[in-house]
């Protein structure tokens, strides 16, 4: 499970941004959010708009950015062990110190729980007020983030984003898109999930380091041609196709062929996890082909010789 913290002051548009991120990436998210008061309005909106793709888990008692007690880390571990989503998105309340949250999460991070690079949303229309009234919180959110997203900027030009970067003294290592997120490509959305955070102690001070995850290239599709497949009865053919679908002999994208079984010709066709067996006219010979990746060649060939 990867943990992604999305911060921003009240009204910055975090809920809408999370909705769009779920739609654009197609990933499974669980949202852990905090509300002032016991009525989680944003949680209801998230669940209603995104359906099964989002699971919202609210902490209505207190604020994680303030308390950071055992209940918070226990909740995170419970989500990891019970739901085990691809991503846990933590949406703290607007006046959040994400550096404290990150330090707490780092204590429970291990090979199954990692930290994605945090994101901060800034209200393009009102960020000056937040910066003036809550300077410490505002700066902590910027300092802890790898990506700054500016909302309510549908009418901004590129030089407006450049001026903001200069005004906030953002380092060149921080990503600030020069367009509103409604114009982002799928690759830009996916990149938010592909950067990890590491906490490094340098000269007695904790520093945040960000690392882009390099995807391992997938093996190209390969195929196995099988001459004269044989099945004693239709049940053995069905068994062979079920084994292919299970994934235990490789990642199968397609399999098709024809053969004679007990004096009757049949065709079979498999695509991903579905297959069909139908009758066929007589053919010159029996044959089959399996297309996919990471094959166990010997096991596949044995499947097509069920005597």
């Amino acid at each position: 499970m990867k943990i992604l913290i999305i911060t921003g002051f009240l009204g910055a548009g975090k809920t809408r941004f999370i909705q769009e991120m779920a739609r654009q990436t197609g990933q499974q998210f669980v949202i852990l959010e905090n509300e002032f008061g016991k009525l989680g309005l944003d949680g209801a909106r998230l669940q209603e708009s995104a359906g099964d793709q989002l699971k919202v888990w609210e902490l209505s008692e207190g604020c994680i950015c303030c308390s950071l007690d055992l209940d918070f880390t226990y909740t995170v571990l419970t989500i990891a062990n019970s739901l085990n989503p691809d991503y846990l998105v933590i949406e703290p309340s607007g006046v959040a110190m994400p550096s404290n949250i990150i330090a707490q999460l780092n204590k429970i991070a291990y090979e199954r729980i990692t930290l994605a690079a945090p994101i901060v949303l800034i209200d393009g229309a009102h960020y000056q007020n937040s910066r003036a009234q809550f300077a410490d919180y505002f700066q902590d959110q910027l300092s802890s983030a790898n990506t700054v997203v500016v909302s309510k900027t549908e009418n901004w030009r590129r030089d407006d984003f450049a001026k903001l970067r200069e005004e906030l003294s953002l380092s060149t290592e921080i990503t600030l898109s020069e367009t509103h997120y409604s114009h982002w490509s799928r690759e830009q959305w996916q990149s938010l999930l592909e950067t990890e955070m590491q906490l490094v102690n340098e000269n007695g001070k904790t520093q945040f380091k960000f690392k882009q995850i390099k995807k391992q290239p997938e093996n190209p599709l390969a195929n196995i041609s099988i001459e004269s497949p044989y099945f004693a009865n239709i049940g053995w053919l069905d068994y062979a196709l079920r084994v292919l679908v299970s994934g235990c002999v490789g990642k199968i994208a397609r399999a098709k062929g024809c053969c004679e079984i007990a004096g009757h010709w049949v065709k079979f066709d498999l695509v991903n996890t579905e297959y069909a067996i139908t009758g066929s006219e007589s053919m010159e010979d029996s044959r089959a082909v399996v297309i996919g990746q990471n094959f166990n060649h010997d096991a596949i060939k044995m499947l097509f010789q069920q005597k």
Side-chain angles (χ1 to χ4, degrees), residues 243-290:
V243 171
L244 293 181
V245 166
S246 73
C248 63
V249 293
K251 185 177 179 181
I252 310 302
R254 184 80 188 272
K256 60 180 181 178
C258 59
C259 60
E260 186 177 9
I261 300 177
H264 301 280
W265 280 89
V266 297
K267 293 192 300 185
F268 56 89
D269 197 352
L270 179 153
V271 179
N272 295 322
T273 60
E274 298 182 354
Y275 64 85
I277 302 172
T278 59
S280 170
E281 59 187 22
S282 298
M283 300 289 182
E284 292 184 1
D285 53 16
S286 300
R287 62 181 63 190
V289 62
V290 179

Side-chain angles (χ1 to χ4, degrees), residues 214-235:
K214 292 184 179 180
K215 283 190 172 181
Q216 296 296 326
E218 289 190 351
N219 295 329
L221 288 175
N223 67 79
I224 300 177
S225 295
I226 299 157
E227 296 183 0
S228 303
Y230 178 84
F231 302 95
N233 55 59
I234 202 74

Side-chain angles (χ1 to χ4, degrees), residues 30-302:
V30 167
I31 313 298
L32 176 58
E33 65 166 18
N34 291 89
E35 299 284 349
F36 286 112
K38 294 182 179 296
L39 183 61
L41 297 179
D42 278 354
R45 285 182 54 205
L46 278 168
Q47 192 66 60
E48 181 181 355
S49 65
D52 294 338
Q53 200 168 12
L54 290 176
K55 296 181 177 66
V56 180
W57 188 309
E58 293 182 341
L59 291 179
S60 59
E61 297 294 335
C63 169
I64 59 173
C65 59
C66 299
S67 59
L68 288 177
D69 56 15
L70 180 62
D71 290 341
F72 168 60
T73 53
Y74 178 77
T75 300
V76 172
L77 290 171
T78 299
I79 292 172
N81 293 326
S82 60
L83 299 177
N84 192 28
D86 298 327
Y87 294 90
L88 170 62
V89 176
I90 295 181
E91 182 192 348
S93 66
V95 284
M97 283 285 195
S99 60
N100 293 340
I101 299 173
I102 293 166
Q104 193 78 356
L105 289 171
N106 194 54
K107 296 177 182 179
I108 60 173
Y110 65 110
E111 64 269 14
R112 284 189 58 232
I113 299 179
T114 58
L115 303 180
I119 300 168
V120 58
L121 263 77
I122 293 178
D123 184 334
H126 304 102
Y127 70 89
Q128 295 95 338
N129 295 336
S130 301
R131 189 183 187 192
Q133 296 176 21
F134 304 99
D136 291 342
Y137 292 100
F138 190 90
Q139 189 56 46
D140 191 77
Q141 291 181 7
L142 285 180
S143 301
S144 303
N146 179 62
T147 300
V148 176
V149 178
V150 190
S151 62
K152 305 175 185 177
T153 54
E154 289 87 343
N155 298 321
W156 278 30
R157 300 186 301 272
R158 291 202 169 192
D159 56 342
D160 294 320
F161 290 95
K163 290 176 182 177
L164 178 65
R165 175 181 282 277
E166 184 177 354
E167 180 183 349
L168 300 180
S169 302
L170 299 179
S171 73
T172 56
E173 296 179 356
I174 292 179
T175 300
L176 173 64
S177 177
E178 295 182 340
T179 58
H180 185 265
Y181 64 77
S182 60
H183 302 297
W184 287 5
S185 65
R186 289 291 176 91
E187 288 75 19
Q188 285 175 285
W189 284 105
Q190 196 63 38
S191 68
L192 298 177
L193 309 178
E194 295 175 353
T195 305
E196 288 187 347
M197 163 180 262
Q198 296 177 333
L199 274 65
V200 180
N201 193 298
E202 295 182 353
N203 300 320
K205 187 176 180 181
T206 300
Q207 302 285 341
F208 299 142
K209 299 293 184 181
F210 304 107
K211 181 179 67 172
Q212 190 76 16
I213 303 170
K214 292 184 179 180
K215 283 190 172 181
Q216 296 296 326
E218 289 190 351
N219 295 329
L221 288 175
N223 67 79
I224 300 177
S225 295
I226 299 157
E227 296 183 0
S228 303
Y230 178 84
F231 302 95
N233 55 59
I234 202 74
W236 281 114
L237 172 58
D238 182 73
Y239 167 77
L241 296 178
R242 283 189 285 116
V243 171
L244 293 181
V245 166
S246 73
C248 63
V249 293
K251 185 177 179 181
I252 310 302
R254 184 80 188 272
K256 60 180 181 178
C258 59
C259 60
E260 186 177 9
I261 300 177
H264 301 280
W265 280 89
V266 297
K267 293 192 300 185
F268 56 89
D269 197 352
L270 179 153
V271 179
N272 295 322
T273 60
E274 298 182 354
Y275 64 85
I277 302 172
T278 59
S280 170
E281 59 187 22
S282 298
M283 300 289 182
E284 292 184 1
D285 53 16
S286 300
R287 62 181 63 190
V289 62
V290 179
I291 303 170
Q293 298 168 311
N294 305 319
F295 288 146
N296 182 330
H297 289 74
D298 292 339
I300 291 175
K301 289 183 176 180
M302 287 178 62

